[in-house]
Structure formats: structure tokens, C-alpha cells
């Protein structure tokens, strides 16, 4: 369980942390097994994610995946965001052991819920 | 980067005096203690000397000490060794034992033993009355740790020992009392006679000796089924070529621990108390885990609300500060610490618990540094936490 | 006084390169491999590196290595670990196993297992046909050592491995093959794939690393009941804080053994052969024990008629020469060596057996000295012996 | 089982080793359990042991006890020799662990047998 440099950087310097006051797409998802939680707030305009912020509680992979997700979302179209897969998040944090993959899954799940919840 | 080690309950650095004492047994005096010749005699004499040193640390006789490969082996040997003499019956233990005791007891449960796990309440300490009322006519073993490895609480061992004596005086036979003193040794004065325990576990690497050496005190006259067999070593109680260098190291460390215990305790207590007071003053939403008084002097276990311990651990680690979330031995998993849960804490507090354990070589500068780093780390994690009210609002 | 160590089968001096490799793990890099922080990661990385080195010595994968506290523990773990998965059935072994295998099997016999001990004939080697005809439909385990610790004879491991494969191909399940390679490692090239064994035991202190470290090779997919429980270490196969310094030492020693094996073997074989030839020329009434060819290159076991081995051992010891009578691990007793008895030797020859085991650091001067001392010692003991015709007549 | 200096000296320099050609009291006793053997030859004159020689086969304590016995016998009266006890032999070799006491017992036994066998 020794973490990669990319991973540690996401922990030390989380990207896009916080909550958007003028978000129009928000979701918070919890992993029922371990209680990990990710909250995502997006500002979407013309089918594109203008701004993204995350909050996370839980094991370090959950924090890192939240950070990686929020970072990559900014500027992305909704269509592309919906195509994002777990393994792209895993790659962005420099890899995760198999029993931590759920952290990336939770991030993707939260993204999809946020887009679903978006008030256009 | 400055490196500050505050994880002395997981393992301790080896004392240079201990390294010096063991080195001859890694170079010229390399004999096998079973050999008849001079090389073997040197090894045997060294092991005998170390046996006396370890015995002295707990007020035992040298021939009551069985050297093992560590505390885990000693706990396995104690519990299975006593229980395998009998048909499955009943065992009493606490709900906050180290995994090596917990796991051994679980393996016995699978073979039909019944285990009663006593609660520790919110102070992390079992009650003598609970022991008394858990006693059944078929109770064979009571195994309660002397001091807990996560929160440092000290259990009423002497009182349990007295209870066991009382039961014996009433004519009860076949009731044995084991205590895991791995964390207590070198921090609490131990006299096996006074405590009234029949078996007691020690581990070298918690008292500034290398990992891979431990001991079981087995009171004279108490029978035990050996677990590792096929050799006459340790008076037929534990087969296998003795790890002489490690045993010598253990002996030296035991002697130093005994001699320096008051000074070490005073030092770590002062650092720990200074640390706790400063943390209390600079960080909100904390919970200190375990009874404030009846605990080891070197250990502080704090739950930080809204955040999860491992994130904090990594933050601190990236800044050179080594701490632990719960038991080092189980920290491969992400289960919230069962010890903190046993205090009645909610899951969030159990997940946010961090153990700071101080050592004889920590300095005030170490504490200064940690006090600089820790509040920032907590703050930045709380800024991320959807549970906290301190998160960043962005626009 | 000159000191000459000729007891390398009991234990070996620690190679200075091995001490150097382990020292950092006794000083700055003292972390517990279970800790998440940097100190822990250093320890874990060191253990992983050593695991690869040990695996390489026997052609295994790193994740097929379980570190233990020594060869004795590995033998206990292998045999009990495999057998405890099943109801008591049948085991095949040789009649000259090391006490740690012998003792473990005896403990299983007490629980209802049936053990067939194959004869080794006068050459000290079992016969494949005997293994084949001992096989029963309920045979669960074959445990045969790779090379014997007293007489050095090499057993037909590859042939037994092939037999086991054959049986599997015929549809047999639940037959496992374990070999104790403690004496063979570093002296015979080992490829577990080629040998076809499922479990294989190693011990660090026989290959110039410290005592207190060993390993069990467990072929991927083979199930095993852990013996020491209550911790997640060694992939749940062996609980207990890892003895990192010893593990690093073991890894380094394994790498050196692999690299230097040809040179070491050539060196010890030359010394051993020179020694044997000179002894043959200068002392009468000898018997060389064990097959002359199919044996380890560093070992010579000789029975001196009319005298008892321990007297000779002490004579030599008083002159600085360290040798052994039979297995170091059982030489606390005065039973004539069961291994020599198994060769069909009479009791007198069994009691008069001495093991000379040479090491990489022995020199020709060492041999010169022993060749000077040994014949005189034999002569003076024979002069005392009522069995001999060389006793002194006095008037 | 580390041997005393006295013990090792008996092994390195056995006293009175050999067989008297003109003995008038001889015995050889074997310990049936371990096969250890002591042979004693004495020349007795006028109720006194003029010369004593021993041979021994077996574990080192047996050799040392034979040597100690033969040494102390020379010059002793038969009456005194018959009073000799195991513990005196044990003391003479510098002590013996309890499971090696049988070596001293064998020496005493051989002495008594030799005196019994004496042709006066
Ligand atoms: C209370 C307690 N018991 C037992 C052990 C196990 O000892 P070892 O690490 O020597 O196996 C530990 C160490 O983690 C401990 O803290
Ligand atoms: C063949 C053999 N197996 C097992 C062992 C036991 O190994 P250890 O001494 O590491 O317990 C030995 C060492 O005496 C041995 O020679």
C-alpha cells in the first residue's frame, strides 16, 4: 500500500476542493460498505462543465479520486464526462490496488448522479 | 525533511547499546546453542544470561521464561498451549485484545470453545465485577492484556490475579490467567508474583530491541502443550534453533528498560502531556480516547472529527511524521478500529482516530514540529470533508 | 589456541556482507512492515526484496515464500499446515528426517495419523520403489528431506516429484510433497518447478545468515492451515511482526549462496576429500557413513570404532576444533544417532560417529591442524577403551 | 552441559589408564541402558590397593569417573574403598548434571565388583 507520487500530490494538494456556490449540478454519494463519501458540485453551461468542485470523506484513495475527477472535469463536455470510466480516474491517481478500486467507482457514480441532477 | 517517529507502540528503534551487545553474536560468537563444543557453549551462556535479564524485568525466575519469535508467537503458545490440554470449554477475554490474542481465540472458537468478551466501557477498561460474573464452572483461561496497544489503557490485572487466587482457594482447579504485557513491559513495573498471572507475554521490539524475539513467562508448574515441536530447545517447550543475537538483544533491552523505566516514563509523559495540551488548544472537535489517568505514559489516541485517520496519517507522513491509525498489525485493512468502537464511539470518531506514541529519544523539537504540522493537516482535510462545516466555498 | 570450526551443518558464521546488509535495519530503518508510513514502507520494501532473493535461490515466485522464524517452524507449518486440512490419514517419510520433521510427524501420530517411515539402506538413501509401494489411497503427504543433516546423503527428490505428478495425472487429488531443503540449499541447485515439490523448507543460519529466520516455499494454489495466527502478515499464512533485519540478512545470504555456490562447493569438496583421504591413511578401524557419491560436498561423517563420539568431540574441542556427534539439535541427549543406526550400523559404530562439516571460510591450515590433532585424540581414547586392542598394559 | 575444568582435565589427561598385567582384582561392568562400560584392575596387598588402572567406553562422564576413581584408589585400604560413594566421584570430576550421575554409579559398581572378585 505504498502510494504513487501522483497520488500523494492529490492528497497534499487537492485540486478543485470545495463547493461551488453557483452550481447547477450537485450530488453526494456514499459507499454504504465503508461510509466513504464524495460530494461534487458542477457549473454546466451549453453542455460543457465550466467549473467543478469536490468534497470527500474517507480513505485516501477516495480523497485522491475526488481530486483527480474534479480536475479533469473542468472544460469537459457532458457527453465526454458521461463516457468517463473508472480506470481513467485510477490512472490519474497513479494506480490503485484492487481492493481500493471502489474509490474510483464512487467518484464516477457521483459524477453521473450530479449530471442526472443538473438543472439546465 | 525532518523525520519524527511517533509510532513507538508499533515498534521502537533499536537502542545502540542493544546493537552493540548483539553484534558479537553476529560475528565471532556464532555458535548453535545446542552444540556441545565451545562455540555452542558461548551461545548457550549468552542465552542464559539474557534469560536472567528478561526474567528480572518481570520478577520471574529464569527457568520460567520461554523465548519465542515474538509477542504473536508467545500469545499463540500461551493460549493454545493451555487450552489444548483440555476439551473445548470456556475462556474470558476483553473486547480490546491485540489481534494476535483475538485471532488465536477465534481459532479456538472454531474448534468449539466458548469465548466471553468483556466490555471496556467508555474509559477503555474492563470491570472486575464483569470478570467475576463471566466466570463459569468450565472456565479454563482468562486472557486480558495488561495495557492496550491503541489507547494505552491499563487493565486491572492484579485484581484479576487476586480473583483467580481466591477461586483456587475455594478449590477450583484448571483456571489459568494469561496477560499480554507487550505494551506494558518497560512502562509499568511488573512483578508476576504480585500480579498473580500464570502466563505473560513479552515482545522485544517494543522495548528498543530488534523485531523477531519475544518471550512467554510460564509459571513454574503450569503445564502447556508446545506448539512448535521437534527439538529439545527451551526445555521442550519451543523447538527450533535459538536466535541468539536477537535473544541477547532482548536481554540487554530488558535490563536497560528496567533500569531506565522511571526516566523514560517521565520523559515521554512530559512530551505527551505537552503535546495533548497544545493539540487541545489549537484544534477543535477532538475526542481523546481511553481513560486519561489509567493509561500508559507514552501514548495519546485522538479522534479528529470529520476526517478519516489514514488521510491524516498520509498528510503527516508526507511531512516526515510517523503515526498510526489503530493497531499497526491491522492497519492493512480499513475497518474502523474495533478498539475505538468498543469505547462506544460512533463510526466517524472510530475512523478518525490517530495514535501518537512517544519514545525515549523524542525531543521537544520533535513535538514543536508536529504541533506545527498537525493543525494544518487537520485543517486541510476538514476543508475537503463534506461532514465538516469548514469546507471551502468557491464561486 | 587455534580455533577451527568444522560444524557448518549445525550453524554457519554470519558472512560479513550479510551483517552489513542487515545493519541498516537495526539502526535507522527500524520500521514495522505493517505500518503505512515511510518507516513502514522501508521495512516492507526490504522484506519484499529479500523475498525475491530467497525465491530466486530455489526458482520460486516471490509470493510463494512464507518467512518464518527458522527451519523448525517452516517444517511444522508445512506438515501440520497441510495435514490439518484433512481428517487423520497417511503420511510417507524417511527414517532419517531431522528431528523437527520427525517430531512434527510424531505429534500427528498421536492424533491418529499413520506414518510410514521408509528405510535408507546402508547408503543412507531411500528407494523410489519403496515410496511407490508405500503409497496408499489415503496418503496425503510425502515428506522427504533433500539432503540429510548428519551424513549429507541426497535423496531422490526429483524422482519422488515425478511420481507425485504421475499420480496426479492418474486422477489422484490431495497428495502433497514436502521436502526439507535446509541442508541442501546453497549446496545443491534447487528448482522447485523441476523438482515437483509443493512445499520446501529453508533455514537462514545454514547459509551464513543469523539464526532465527527461515522460509517455507508454498506452491501457488496449495492450501495450508496457518499455525501462528492473529495477524495479516505473510499473506495471512504466518502472523507476527516480521523480523526485518533477519529477513534482509536471509535474502542477502540467499543471493550470495546462489552466486557463489559453485566456488563454495569446489572449495569444501576439496578440503573434505583431502581430509578424508588423510584420515583414512592415518587412522584404522573407521567407517565412512553415507553414500560416498550422492552426498553434500561439505560433509564427512566417520565412525571411529571402540570409542564414543562425545569423548572425541570434547577432546577435539579442548584443542579448539568444533565438530558434532549427530544432529546438533539432538546432541543434548546421548542416544546413539538414529540416522547412523538407520544405515544398519551396530550400536558401537553409531555411538562413535562424528560429523565434520566444512565451510567456505575453512582453510588448508585448518585441515592441517585437525589432521594433527584428530589421530592423537582417537589414539588416546582408544588407549582407554575396553573394546579396543590398543589399550595400555601397565605393571 | 558445559564441563568443569576438573572434568576436562580427566578427559585430556586420564589418570591411571590401562590394564594391570599383575592385577589380583579385576571387574568390568556395563550399564545395560546405554552400553557404557568400565573395567577396573587392582593390585591389592595386605588389605590395601597398591595399584589401580581403569579402562572406559562411553560418554565423557564415564571416562572422567573411571579416571577419578582409579586415581583416588591407589593407596586406599579395602575397607575405605568399600565406603566410597557415588558423590565422592562426582565431586572429584567437578560435579555432574543429574542425568549423568549414572556414570559415577557405574564406577562405584565396578569397584565393588572388583573387590568382590579379588583373589587374595
Ligand atoms: C499488545 C500487543 N500484543 C502482541 C503484539 C505482537 O507482538 P509481535 O509484534 O512481537 O508479534 C503486539 C505488537 O504489535 C502488541 O502491541
Ligand atoms: C535438515 C534440517 N532441517 C531443519 C532444521 C531446523 O532448522 P532451524 O535450525 O532453523 O530451526 C535443521 C537445522 O538443524 C536441519 O539440519
Amino acid at each position: 500500500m505504498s502510494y504513487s507520487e501522483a497520488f500523494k500530490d492529490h492528497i497534499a494538494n487537492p485540486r478543485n476542493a470545495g463547493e461551488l456556490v453557483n452550481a447547477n449540478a450537485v450530488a453526494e454519494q456514499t459507499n454504504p460498505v465503508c461510509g466513504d463519501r464524495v460530494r461534487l458540485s458542477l457549473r454546466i453551461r451549453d453542455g460543457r462543465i465550466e467549473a467543478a468542485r469536490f468534497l470527500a470523506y474517507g480513505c485516501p484513495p477516495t480523497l485522491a479520486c475526488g481530486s483527480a475527477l474534479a480536475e479533469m472535469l473542468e472544460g469537459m463536455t457532458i457527453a465526454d464526462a458521461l463516457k468517463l470510466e473508472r480506470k481513467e480516474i485510477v490512472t490519474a491517481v497513479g494506480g490503485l490496488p484492487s481492493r481500493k478500486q471502489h474509490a474510483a467507482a464512487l467518484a464516477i457514480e457521483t459524477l453521473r448522479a450530479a449530471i442526472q441532477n443538473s438543472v439546465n | 525533511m525532518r523525520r519524527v517517529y511517533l509510532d513507538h507502540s508499533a515498534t521502537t528503534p533499536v537502542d545502540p547499546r542493544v546493537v552493540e551487545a548483539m553484534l558479537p553474536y553476529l560475528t565471532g560468537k556464532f555458535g548453535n546453542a545446542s552444540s556441545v563444543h565451545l562455540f555452542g557453549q558461548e551461545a548457550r551462556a549468552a542465552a542464559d544470561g539474557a534469560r536472567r535479564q528478561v526474567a528480572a524485568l518481570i520478577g520471574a525466575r529464569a527457568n520460567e521464561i520461554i523465548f519465542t519469535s515474538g509477542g504473536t508467537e508467545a500469545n499463540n503458545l500461551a493460549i493454545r498451549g493451555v487450552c489444548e490440554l483440555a476439551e473445548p470449554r470456556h475462556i474470558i477475554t476483553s473486547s480490546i485484545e491485540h489481534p494476535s490474542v483475538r485471532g488465536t481465540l477465534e481459532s479456538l472458537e472454531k474448534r468449539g470453545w466458548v469465548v466471553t468478551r468483556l466490555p471496556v466501557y467508555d474509559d477503555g477498561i474492563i470491570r472486575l465485577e464483569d470478570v467475576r460474573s463471566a466466570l463459569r464452572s468450565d472456565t479454563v483461561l482468562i486472557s486480558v492484556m495488561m495495557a492496550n496497544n491503541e489507547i494505552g489503557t491499563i487493565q486491572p490485572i492484579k485484581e484479576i490475579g487476586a480473583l483467580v487466587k481466591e477461586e483456587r482457594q475455594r478449590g477450583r482447579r484448571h483456571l489459568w490467567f494469561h496477560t499480554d504485557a507487550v505494551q506494558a513491559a518497560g512502562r509499568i513495573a511488573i512483578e508476576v508474583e504480585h500480579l498473580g498471572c500464570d502466563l505473560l507475554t513479552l515482545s522485544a521490539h517494543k522495548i528498543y530491541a530488534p523485531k523477531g524475539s519475544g518471550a512467554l513467562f510460564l509459571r513454574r508448574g503450569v503445564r502447556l502443550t508446545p506448539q512448535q515441536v521437534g527439538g529439545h530447545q527451551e526445555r521442550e517447550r519451543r523447538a527450533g534453533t535459538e536466535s541468539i543475537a536477537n535473544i541477547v538483544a532482548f536481554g540487554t533491552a530488558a535490563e536497560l528498560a528496567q533500569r531506565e523505566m522511571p526516566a523514560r516514563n517521565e520523559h515521554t509523559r512530559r512530551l505527551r502531556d505537552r503535546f495533548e495540551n497544545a493539540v487541545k488548544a489549537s484544534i477543535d472537535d477532538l475526542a481523546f480516547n481511553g481513560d486519561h489517568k489509567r493509561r500508559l505514559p507514552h501514548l495519546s489516541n485522538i479522534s479528529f472529527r470529520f476526517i478519516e485517520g489514514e488521510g491524516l496519517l498520509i498528510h503527516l507522513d508526507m511531512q516526515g511524521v510517523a503515526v498510526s491509525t489503530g493497531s499497526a498489525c491491522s492497519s492493512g485493512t480499513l475497518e474502523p478500529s474495533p478498539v475505538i468502537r468498543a469505547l462506544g464511539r460512533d463510526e466517524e470518531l472510530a475512523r478518525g482516530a490517530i495514535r501518537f506514541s512517544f519514545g525515549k529519544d523524542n525531543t521537544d523539537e520533535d513535538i514543536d514540529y508536529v504541533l506545527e504540522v498537525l493543525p494544518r493537516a487537520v485543517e486541510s482535510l476538514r476543508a475537503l470533508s463534506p461532514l465538516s462545516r469548514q469546507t471551502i466555498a468557491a464561486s
Side-chain angles (χ1 to χ4, degrees), chain A, chain B:
Chain A
M1 219 172 20
S2 76
Y3 295 111
S4 72
E5 287 309 309
F7 185 96
K8 290 197 274 189
D9 193 49
H10 277 291
I11 300 291
N13 309 298
R15 324 295 197 267
N16 302 28
E19 173 119 42
L20 285 172
V21 290
N22 51 357
N24 57 0
V26 173
E28 181 168 316
Q29 295 282 316
T30 304
N31 178 331
V33 179
C34 62
D36 283 2
R37 215 180 266 220
V38 173
R39 185 174 171 84
L40 196 64
S41 56
L42 309 176
R43 197 167 55 241
I44 303 175
R45 188 187 300 191
D46 299 337
R48 191 174 289 276
I49 297 171
E50 238 183 34
R53 292 290 182 280
F54 87 100
L55 293 175
Y57 167 83
C59 64
T62 299
L63 310 190
C65 289
S67 167
L69 174 67
E71 181 176 37
M72 65 176 68
L73 284 180
E74 283 200 343
M76 203 175 257
T77 64
I78 294 299
D80 285 346
L82 283 170
K83 278 187 236 145
L84 269 183
E85 283 186 32
R86 197 175 65 180
K87 64 176 188 291
E88 292 167 79
I89 309 281
V90 171
T91 306
V93 300
L96 282 180
S98 55
R99 66 205 160 77
K100 301 294 180 95
Q101 297 284 328
H102 65 82
L106 181 62
I108 294 291
E109 210 179 289
T110 313
L111 166 64
R112 297 195 177 150
I115 294 174
Q116 189 114 51
N117 295 344
S118 66
V119 266
N120 50 343
Chain B
M1 187 178 58
R2 188 180 185 99
R3 285 179 78 178
V4 176
Y5 187 76
L6 295 187
D7 203 8
H8 291 83
S9 278
T11 194
T12 52
V14 187
D15 191 306
R17 295 167 293 181
V18 168
V19 177
E20 200 183 317
M22 74 189 285
L23 262 181
Y25 298 91
L26 292 175
T27 53
K29 300 183 178 184
F30 60 82
N32 184 325
S34 296
S35 296
V36 177
H37 49 65
L38 192 58
F39 291 86
Q41 285 169 32
E42 281 171 349
R44 192 136 14 97
D48 288 346
R51 202 182 298 282
R52 285 189 292 272
Q53 291 169 310
V54 170
L57 180 64
I58 58 169
R61 302 184 189 90
N63 63 13
E64 294 174 318
I65 298 296
I66 303 170
F67 282 122
T68 67
S69 67
T72 298
E73 184 185 340
N75 279 336
N76 274 260
L77 175 57
I79 295 171
R80 294 163 68 169
V82 163
C83 291
E84 284 181 4
L85 292 170
E87 290 304 297
R89 295 193 218 166
H90 180 242
I91 302 172
I92 299 172
T93 188
S94 85
S95 50
I96 58 167
E97 295 297 312
H98 185 267
S100 56
V101 165
R102 218 156 59 212
T104 306
L105 292 176
E106 283 164 9
S107 78
L108 287 174
E109 279 181 310
K110 287 194 198 118
R111 293 195 240 153
W113 287 75
V114 176
V115 177
T116 301
R117 292 175 180 81
L118 302 179
V120 294
Y121 303 92
D122 59 359
D123 56 7
I125 297 175
I126 65 166
R127 301 292 183 266
L128 187 65
E129 308 81 73
D130 288 346
V131 180
R132 197 187 299 276
S133 44
L135 268 178
R136 302 181 357 181
S137 60
D138 66 344
T139 306
V140 168
L141 179 71
I142 301 174
S143 180
V144 172
M145 69 198 323
M146 191 170 299
N148 179 266
N149 46 298
E150 292 189 43
I151 55 175
T153 48
I154 297 167
Q155 305 300 325
I157 298 305
K158 189 172 57 136
E159 290 74 9
I160 302 173
L163 173 63
V164 168
K165 262 188 207 152
E166 212 178 89
E167 290 289 316
R168 285 201 187 123
Q169 272 155 10
R170 287 214 198 111
R172 186 198 271 269
R173 300 163 64 206
H174 309 304
L175 172 65
W176 311 112
F177 177 28
H178 166 248
T179 186
D180 173 352
V182 165
Q183 291 289 337
R187 296 183 180 122
I188 302 177
I190 300 177
E191 284 289 338
V192 286
E193 217 42 72
H194 184 63
L195 293 174
C197 58
D198 302 300
L199 305 105
L200 181 146
T201 294
L202 297 172
S203 176
H205 74 98
K206 311 286 187 183
I207 58 166
Y208 303 95
K211 283 157 274 298
S213 187
L216 179 65
F217 157 76
L218 177 69
R219 181 181 298 288
R220 191 188 281 200
V222 178
R223 284 179 57 214
L224 182 98
T225 309
Q227 298 298 307
Q228 196 165 302
V229 300
H232 60 84
Q233 293 91 347
E234 299 297 313
R235 301 153 56 92
E236 311 282 342
R237 261 73 162 260
R238 198 269 183 187
T241 301
E242 301 88 339
S243 182
I244 298 297
N246 276 348
I247 286 173
V248 167
F250 189 10
T252 304
E255 189 175 317
L256 291 171
Q258 194 177 16
R259 194 188 319 146
E260 299 178 358
M261 182 155 58
R264 290 181 188 179
N265 282 345
E266 198 192 305
H267 177 70
T268 54
R269 179 178 285 112
R270 190 181 61 73
L271 293 182
R272 193 264 314 262
D273 291 351
R274 197 198 131 197
F275 170 78
E276 287 194 340
N277 288 331
V279 167
K280 228 180 290 179
S282 63
I283 306 176
D284 287 336
D285 292 311
L286 302 174
F288 289 86
N289 297 312
D291 192 79
H292 197 71
K293 285 214 178 106
R294 283 169 298 169
R295 62 175 172 157
L296 297 174
H298 77 297
L299 194 148
S300 178
N301 190 302
I302 309 178
S303 289
F304 297 86
R305 216 172 248 295
F306 315 131
I307 63 182
E308 198 269 345
E310 198 175 336
L312 185 50
L313 184 158
I314 289 179
H315 254 270
L316 294 175
D317 187 36
M318 286 189 289
Q319 296 177 82
V321 178
V323 300
S324 158
T325 61
S327 162
C329 295
S330 58
S331 70
T333 74
L334 273 173
E335 296 291 300
S337 158
V339 173
I340 309 295
R341 291 289 278 164
L343 303 176
R345 300 284 193 209
D346 62 35
E347 181 153 334
E348 187 195 327
L349 283 178
R351 292 188 71 184
I354 291 280
R355 175 182 73 185
F356 304 85
S357 49
F358 302 85
K360 69 184 180 65
D361 302 319
N362 283 131
T363 62
D364 271 295
E365 289 70 41
D366 288 346
I367 308 305
D368 293 342
Y369 180 68
V370 177
L371 289 172
E372 190 187 311
V373 161
L374 177 66
R376 280 207 313 260
V378 171
E379 201 180 319
S380 73
L381 283 164
R382 285 183 176 168
L384 291 187
S385 174
L387 308 180
S388 149
R389 284 139 290 142
Q390 302 173 14
T391 51
I392 312 153
S395 62

